Structure formats: structure tokens, C-alpha cells
Amino acid sequence: METLLKGKKIVLMGVVNKSSIAWGCATAMKKCGAEIIYTYQNDRVKKQLDKLIDPTELTVQCDVSNDEEVATTFAEIHAKVGNIDGVVHSIAFAPKEALEGEITEAPRDSFKVAHDVSSFSLIAVAREARKYMNEGGSITTLTYIGSSRAVNNYNIMGLAKASLEAAVRYLAVDLAKQDIRVNAVSSGAIKTLASSGIKGFRDLLDEAAERTPANKQVTIEEVGNTVAFLMSDLSTGLTGDLIYVDKGTHLS
Ligand code: NAD
């Protein structure tokens, strides 16, 4: 396990604090010997990130809603560490009013923002990352079952996740030319900064745990372990795929 990702340079996008799913990915991938390059949304997030990581680790700003910034981020990473082997995209955002009540009440702008930051960003990231990726590289994003089921209050984010999952399939076809794999991990519900924005999220957590065969919630470490596997050469047979890491919530 300690050598699974030895020699691999992986860009990790989306750590904001130690509850972040991306932080579970960082922990798992570091255990497997990966070198991690962290990207952060803005200065406020950087302050939080700096508290978690070693000062010698590379961090680069990347607001994924800005194409130019995505381009300069990956160029800067390449200038500092050379080619990369993987990217973990653990980013989503929707305005609060898009995550409550009935979907008919959702403002048009919230649809645009949610799809831009939570779905198109994967395409923008893949476009720049592929310029600097080694053959055999891997890109993984995080999604949620609200893409295929009507989950209370998830609303517009459910649509954005459906779009994200479609983007994974199209990207998998395009990037196969470079032998780069693109997959999604569908995580069970976990309390994080982003998920706290969903109205009634506490009930969603309880309900998700009740629906698992073992009556347990999945952890960020468990999600991180699957992401580490997808970054590794053990998963070369998978692309355009979606893996549920939710303790079986999706079964019922
Ligand atoms: P989180 O709040 O810890 O992470 C969300 C991250 O998105 C933050 O680091 C934030 O800075 C980043 N972000 C938002 N807008 C951005 C932008 N414009 N540019 C760059 N970064 C931006 O929450 P999380 O729950 O760990 O979310 C990570 C991913 O996991 C998301 O895609 C989320 O939808 C997905 N997910 C979460 C759950 C859950 O229950 N928490 C379940 C399934 C999937």
C-alpha cells in the first residue's frame, strides 16, 4: 500500500478543511506514497489549507470558474514539478436558494452558477491538465446519487451532478487518445462545509445511514481510499465509470 502511488504527482482540488472529502483523498494518497499538489479557491481557503499541510508542499490558487486561472494554474504546476499523473476534482457549489424547497422556485442564475462551478469546471480542468499529463494518467471527480434520484432539497445540484457524470463519459472518450482515464466516485452523504448548505442535511445523513445494510455512514477516508485506487495503476481497466462509495446506500 505504501508504494501504490510512489513517484506519482497528483493535483488535488478542493480541500477547505479537515472534513473535506478531498482531505480524505489527501490522507489516503499520501499513505500510498503520492506527491500531492494542492489547489485552493481563494486566499480565505488557502489560510485554512495551510493549517493542514506541510509548508514544503506545493499549493496553487485555482478558481475553477475562471478559464484563464485554470490555464495559469496548470502551467505553474508544470513549471514547478514537471508532468503530472493525476487530478482529483472535488469541487462543487450552488447558491443556498438552489438547495431548498421546490425546484420550480430555483432562480435561473443559480442553475447557471451550479453547472458552471460543479460540472463545466471538470472540462476546463481536463483541457488544461491533459497538456501536462503523463500517459496512463487518471482524472477523478466526486458526485452524488442526487444525480439519478430526486433527493429532498438537492434540487439544482442534482442536475449539475447528472451533467458532471455525462461529462465524465465524454471526457473518457476524448482523453483515451492520450491514455488518460476519467472516472467519478459517488460518495455517500458526509457532513462537510459544502453539504451543510443543503437544507435539512442532518436528516439526509440519518436517512442515508439507515438505508445502508450496516447502518453506518461512509467516511472521507473510505472515499479517499477508492480515489487512491483510481489514481493508481491497479485501475487501468476503468474509464468513464462511476463507483459508489456509500456503504451501500444506493442499493435501496
Ligand atoms: P467541501 O466544502 O469540503 O469542498 C468543496 C470544495 O469546493 C471547497 O474546497 C471549495 O473551496 C471548492 N470550491 C467551490 N467553488 C469553487 C471554485 N469556484 N473554484 C475552486 N474551488 C471551489 O465539501 P465536500 O463535501 O468535501 O465536497 C467535495 C465534493 O464532493 C463536491 O463535488 C461534492 O458535491 C461532492 N460530494 C459531497 C458529498 C457530501 O455529502 N459531502 C456527497 C457526494 C459528493
Side-chain angles (χ1 to χ4, degrees):
M1 173 131 166
E2 290 79 27
T3 56
L4 188 63
L5 296 175
K6 199 163 188 292
K8 292 212 189 278
K9 293 171 188 160
I10 312 228
V11 176
L12 176 58
M13 316 183 79
V15 178
V16 62
N17 58 34
K18 64 177 174 27
S19 305
S20 293
I21 290 177
W23 185 242
C25 300
T27 313
M29 293 192 296
K30 279 208 267 191
K31 263 191 206 152
C32 296
E35 178 185 344
I36 314 278
I37 300 107
Y38 298 86
T39 72
Y40 57 88
Q41 182 182 357
N42 52 34
D43 287 346
R44 195 172 37 82
V45 175
K46 180 173 167 50
K47 273 191 199 137
Q48 308 233 70
L49 174 63
D50 283 347
K51 288 184 206 153
L52 297 176
I53 63 170
D54 191 282
T56 59
E57 291 179 288
L58 181 59
T59 64
V60 184
Q61 179 167 313
C62 187
D63 183 328
V64 293
S65 61
N66 179 332
D67 282 334
E68 269 174 39
E69 194 160 309
V70 177
T72 53
T73 298
F74 280 92
E76 184 179 337
I77 291 171
H78 182 248
K80 293 199 168 136
V81 305
N83 273 7
I84 55 172
D85 301 287
V87 180
V88 179
H89 170 279
S90 185
I91 288 173
F93 175 76
K96 220 174 167 31
E97 64 271 20
L99 300 170
E100 59 186 26
E102 295 195 358
I103 200 161
T104 48
E105 302 305 316
R108 188 180 292 261
D109 276 353
S110 67
F111 175 95
K112 290 182 185 164
V113 172
H115 283 68
D116 184 22
V117 176
S118 317
S119 173
F120 185 79
S121 65
L122 182 69
I123 295 171
V125 163
R127 179 165 56 213
E128 298 307 322
R130 72 186 300 188
K131 296 178 185 168
Y132 312 112
M133 281 183 87
N134 287 320
E135 282 204 356
S138 175
I139 298 177
T140 296
T141 188
L142 271 299
T143 187
Y144 180 60
I145 200 170
S147 61
S148 53
R149 291 196 195 162
V151 175
N152 265 353
N153 298 312
Y154 202 63
N155 296 357
I156 290 290
M157 189 53 87
L159 280 62
K161 290 300 193 192
S163 161
L164 175 73
E165 291 168 19
V168 164
R169 293 186 285 273
Y170 282 94
L171 287 169
V173 171
D174 285 355
L175 273 63
K177 294 166 200 137
Q178 264 177 264
D179 196 18
I180 295 170
R181 296 172 291 112
V182 187
N183 291 291
V185 167
S186 186
S187 167
I190 298 176
K191 191 173 178 342
T192 62
L193 195 61
S195 63
S196 313
I198 304 162
K199 193 164 186 232
F201 187 72
R202 188 72 261 163
D203 299 337
L204 192 68
L205 272 179
D206 294 342
E207 197 192 308
E210 276 164 27
R211 283 191 17 229
T212 66
N215 206 354
K216 277 184 185 160
Q217 279 165 13
V218 73
T219 65
I220 59 168
E221 289 77 16
E222 287 170 319
V223 178
N225 285 339
T226 301
V227 170
F229 158 73
L230 285 171
M231 288 293 118
S232 83
D233 295 342
L234 289 182
S235 61
T236 51
L238 274 88
T239 195
D241 235 316
L242 184 151
I243 302 180
Y244 285 102
V245 184
D246 66 355
K247 296 275 195 197
T249 308
H250 69 283
L251 295 172
S252 60

